[in-house]
């Protein structure tokens, strides 16, 4: 929860989202980014499913049920794929 709050505050600070009362809404800048990610076929970066998968794996690592090396390799592979598509 503390990390999530910090991420949300960072997104607000960078103007990707904005507060609307008690709700959060994507800004024009945020919508452009999500659209670009989809156009580049790297929508995983804006996917709630990926976030959930990472949170699950992090909990599994805490419990000693998922190797840190494997998680980090998955992240490296994802980043390498994103960079390749962007180039």
């Amino acid at each position: 929860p503390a990390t999530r709050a910090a991420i949300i505050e960072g997104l607000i600070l960078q103007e990707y989202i904005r507060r609307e009362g008690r709700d959060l809404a994507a800004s024009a800048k945020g919508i452009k980014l999500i659209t670009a990610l989809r156009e580049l076929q790297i929508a995983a970066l804006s996917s709630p499913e990926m976030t959930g998968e990472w949170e699950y794996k992090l909990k599994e690592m805490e419990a000693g049920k998922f190797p840190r090396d494997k998680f980090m390799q998955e992240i490296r592979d994802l980043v390498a794929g994103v960079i390749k598509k962007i180039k």
Side-chain angles (χ1 to χ4, degrees):
T3 303
R4 188 174 298 129
I7 290 169
I8 290 169
E9 290 304 316
L11 291 170
I12 291 169
L13 182 66
Q14 296 296 318
E15 300 179 350
Y16 289 105
I17 61 174
R18 64 181 180 281
R19 285 194 175 90
E20 291 184 354
R22 293 183 52 142
D23 297 324
L24 297 171
S27 66
K29 181 179 177 179
I31 292 169
K32 285 179 186 177
L33 176 60
I34 290 169
T35 301
L37 292 172
R38 288 181 181 153
E39 288 174 0
L40 292 169
Q41 297 180 340
I42 47 179
L45 294 181
S46 61
S47 162
E49 291 82 11
M50 185 185 78
T51 302
E53 182 181 324
W54 281 12
E55 286 182 5
Y56 174 78
K57 287 179 180 179
L58 289 169
K59 287 181 183 179
E60 291 290 293
M61 281 193 305
E62 283 183 277
K65 296 179 182 178
F66 193 83
R68 181 184 183 282
D69 297 359
K70 184 173 181 180
F71 183 73
M72 294 307 296
Q73 186 59 52
E74 289 176 6
I75 291 175
R76 281 191 288 276
D77 292 345
L78 175 67
V79 170
V82 167
I83 291 170
K84 183 177 178 182
K85 285 185 180 188
I86 289 172
K87 284 182 176 182

